[in-house]
Amino acid sequence: MTRVYNFGAGPAQLPEAVLLEMRDELLNWRGTGMSAMELPHRGSDFEKIAHESEQDLRELLAIPKNYRVLFLQGGGRSQFAMVPMNLAYQAICMAYMDTGVWSQFALQEAQRYGNVHLVASSADNHYTDIPPQSSWSLPKEAAYLHYTDNETIHGIEFPAPPTGYGFLLVSDMSSNLLTRPFDISQFGIIYACAQKNMGAAGVTVVIIREDLLQREPFPYTPSMFRYGLHAENNSFLNTPPTLAWYITSLVLKWTKKQGGVSKMAEQSQRKSAKLYAFIDQSDFYHNPVEAHCRSRINVPFILAKPELDQQFLKEATKMGLANLKGHRLVGGMRASLYNALPESAVDALIEFMQYFEASYA
Ligand SMILES: *Cc1c(COP(=O)(O)O)cnc(C)c1O
């Protein structure tokens, strides 16, 4: 059995080099006679993993000194609650952009904690666009502005972060952190679960500006949901997800070795441009998203004959192109092109799509 190209949206393909490294280290991590996940989390060995991964992430993203990096549990979705619980106590409102399913989830969760002001929504056009900035409604008194940098399901990505409005900006970058460089200093909080570009499910990275740790959370906020407590304890408030953290540490080293985030950005650009160009010249495949905000990371597409969906998936799987089924909310197909997916996978996908079109159109 050879490995396949995995286009799954997450948990996603990991770099093969990382899997091999894990295998080599499985019984004996750096001469300790233990695997990484058997190390006591407060011992100096695991601390090395924790320290190196933070340093590597800081280097990769050029994270300024006045930001803390937290390695937490609970996935991206816990952040939907943690953000308002920690930032919106006694706030008049919170501002949310609605550009797809993930921002919807975030917005709905925030409604438990106060007034959510809808800045703009692309629900009316079925999430195929980002509303023009001229149409945004921006309440000056909002505790923060939340948006989803890349909508993993609808395949929409902000061309650039919505900065310059004087808001404390909070960004869900679960599916595109490490795929392009950006200026961290424009943000209050950036969060991302690891299972897309940064490792395996179980760990979530939160990059938070230091002064925000002083904000008073809602009084009933559980300890595990307090950024301040996690920061005071250097992400060791309780037993961290050591296996997932270790895998992330390996992926970060791999990312550095590949040439870092700017290299990943070049590759993402090339991989996605190729696929969109192919889809656009075909009458058989279609991507509905406006060109200026098409995601470089998740490319949904539909077939002109949806009755062929099952056949498409069956034949693709047979060719070693796995997990192309689209999310049930949008249907059709979706090719996720995360960092670990090589360009050869996109070439193979395009070749298969050409063959399928020629056979069935
Ligand atoms: C995957 C994803 C999430 C959810 O992450 P979980 O770890 O499953 O909670 C949140 N936001 C975006 C944009 C995602 O792609």
Side-chain angles (χ1 to χ4, degrees):
M1 176 72 190
T2 52
R3 285 179 53 77
V4 300
Y5 290 132
N6 183 353
F7 293 90
Q13 175 159 348
L14 284 163
E16 192 164 294
V18 165
L19 295 172
L20 291 171
E21 212 173 338
M22 287 172 65
R23 182 182 71 181
D24 290 344
E25 295 182 333
L26 185 61
L27 299 183
N28 187 355
W29 181 83
R30 294 191 194 175
T32 56
M34 285 175 249
S35 68
M37 54 274 197
E38 295 168 297
L39 298 169
H41 63 289
R42 292 184 202 282
S44 60
D45 289 318
F46 190 80
E47 249 165 38
K48 276 186 205 128
I49 294 177
H51 179 74
E52 286 172 18
S53 51
E54 174 169 346
Q55 288 317 309
D56 287 340
L57 189 68
R58 283 187 175 278
E59 202 180 304
L60 280 164
L61 293 173
I63 301 176
K65 283 206 169 53
N66 62 327
Y67 284 74
R68 293 292 305 268
V69 179
L70 308 176
F71 291 83
L72 306 182
Q73 305 184 52
R77 282 193 83 132
S78 289
Q79 295 309 309
F80 298 170
M82 267 181 101
V83 167
M85 285 172 122
N86 285 273
L87 297 187
Y89 181 45
Q90 292 175 335
I92 292 169
C93 70
M94 306 158 263
Y96 276 73
M97 298 278 307
D98 171 30
T99 51
V101 168
W102 287 112
S103 51
Q104 263 288 324
F105 283 146
L107 182 162
Q108 284 164 11
E109 189 72 31
Q111 282 171 334
R112 297 175 188 275
Y113 305 99
N115 293 318
V116 168
H117 180 97
L118 189 60
V119 172
S121 171
S122 43
D124 284 350
N125 59 34
H126 306 285
Y127 299 118
T128 53
D129 201 358
I130 292 170
Q133 304 198 359
S134 55
S135 70
W136 297 2
S137 153
L138 295 161
K140 283 290 163 234
E141 64 280 12
Y144 58 85
L145 170 63
H146 180 281
Y147 82 102
T148 308
D149 206 60
N150 183 64
E151 288 282 0
T152 319
I153 291 174
H154 290 91
I156 290 178
E157 189 177 25
F158 275 73
T163 54
Y165 298 96
F167 284 99
L168 178 65
L169 203 55
V170 177
S171 183
D172 179 356
M173 294 198 188
S174 286
S175 47
N176 68 344
L177 192 70
L178 294 177
T179 68
R180 65 179 177 194
F182 61 99
D183 179 2
I184 301 265
S185 71
Q186 296 179 311
F187 293 83
I189 292 179
I190 292 157
Y191 60 87
C193 52
Q195 67 270 23
K196 281 132 192 191
N197 286 298
M198 224 171 7
V203 71
T204 298
V205 165
V206 175
I207 302 164
I208 179 168
R209 211 177 62 209
E210 223 158 35
D211 60 289
L212 299 174
L213 298 167
Q214 308 308 324
R215 286 216 189 167
E216 196 183 343
F218 278 87
Y220 49 75
T221 304
S223 303
M224 282 294 287
F225 276 66
R226 290 173 183 250
Y227 290 128
L229 268 181
H230 283 292
E232 270 170 42
N233 289 276
N234 296 313
S235 306
F236 286 77
L237 179 60
N238 73 327
T239 314
T242 54
L243 172 58
W245 197 339
Y246 157 68
I247 297 172
T248 290
S249 77
L250 297 181
V251 172
L252 294 173
K253 284 194 195 310
W254 174 86
T255 309
K256 273 173 65 177
K257 222 162 136 191
Q258 302 307 302
V261 171
S262 54
K263 193 60 186 266
M264 294 294 127
E266 267 172 43
Q267 285 180 9
S268 297
Q269 189 56 40
R270 254 205 331 268
K271 287 188 291 186
S272 58
K274 249 186 204 180
L275 185 51
Y276 284 120
F278 173 72
I279 291 171
D280 287 346
Q281 60 75 45
S282 156
D283 293 328
F284 189 72
Y285 303 103
H286 177 65
N287 169 283
V289 179
E290 292 296 325
H292 75 103
C293 57
R294 278 175 162 179
S295 169
R296 301 161 305 126
I297 311 301
N298 308 95
V299 181
F301 59 92
I302 50 173
L303 275 52
K305 299 179 182 167
E307 65 274 18
L308 288 174
D309 281 3
Q310 287 316 315
Q311 188 66 20
F312 181 93
L313 290 166
K314 202 172 104 190
E315 294 197 26
T317 306
K318 216 154 64 188
M319 300 294 293
L321 308 170
N323 296 324
L324 282 162
K325 191 173 168 32
H327 193 277
R328 62 194 148 73
L329 287 172
V330 291
M333 309 297 153
R334 172 175 46 172
S336 294
L337 315 178
Y338 297 122
N339 284 351
L341 190 93
E343 193 168 340
S344 56
V346 178
D347 295 335
L349 174 61
I350 293 174
E351 202 179 312
F352 168 74
M353 287 168 74
Q354 266 164 340
Y355 143 80
F356 193 85
E357 178 175 351
S359 309
Y360 295 97

